[in-house]
Amino acid sequence: MKAARLQKLLEFSEKETSDPFLKYALATEYLNLGDTESALKYFEDLVLNHEDYVGTYYHLGKLYEALERTEDALKTYQKGMEVASRAGNTHTLSELQAAYRSANLNYEDD
């Protein structure tokens, strides 16, 4: 079932190569399948080419944390907070602030 969903998303993305929603969907699907390398590729593409796609930052930051790349996670959360603030997205801003504080505390404890 999951592989079929991934296949459909890949088919859609061939037609809409720059659609940020499809890139985000592919990233999360790869993540759900345990393919962190492919998920990372899509999330990083989103922050580079679709900076205003605010939902990316939280998930990319969490993936960086899981990969023990805490400095990258902190930078990602910070950038996401800037983007969310500019967009007036207070809910995402709040989530990113909490994730940043948590990652920073864990980083300082190491």
Side-chain angles (χ1 to χ4, degrees):
M1 182 70 166
K2 287 185 179 181
R5 186 168 45 222
L6 176 61
Q7 189 58 40
K8 273 287 188 218
L9 289 169
L10 288 168
E11 288 171 17
F12 288 138
S13 73
E14 288 174 12
K15 296 173 187 143
E16 299 291 334
T17 57
S18 65
D19 184 328
F21 176 76
L22 281 173
K23 290 179 183 183
Y24 180 82
L26 280 162
T28 55
E29 190 62 30
Y30 276 121
L31 197 56
N32 290 336
L33 293 170
D35 184 347
T36 55
E37 188 175 317
S38 294
L40 188 61
K41 180 182 94 172
Y42 280 98
F43 280 135
E44 288 178 337
D45 176 82
L46 278 163
V47 297
L48 287 172
N49 297 305
H50 305 279
E51 180 181 282
D52 293 335
Y53 202 82
V54 72
T56 305
Y57 295 92
Y58 179 85
H59 296 286
L60 177 56
K62 287 296 180 185
L63 180 53
Y64 281 145
E65 284 189 72
L67 296 171
E68 298 181 359
R69 293 174 55 181
T70 308
E71 286 185 46
D72 289 330
L74 292 170
K75 290 176 187 173
T76 299
Y77 293 140
Q78 287 175 317
K79 179 65 177 176
M81 287 185 282
E82 292 171 19
V83 172
S85 182
R86 272 197 319 266
N89 189 328
T90 56
H91 176 74
T92 301
L93 177 60
S94 175
E95 287 180 332
L96 288 163
Q97 289 169 332
Y100 177 85
R101 283 191 299 273
S102 175
N104 200 33
L105 284 173
N106 292 333
Y107 187 58
E108 290 175 350
D109 288 344
D110 289 345

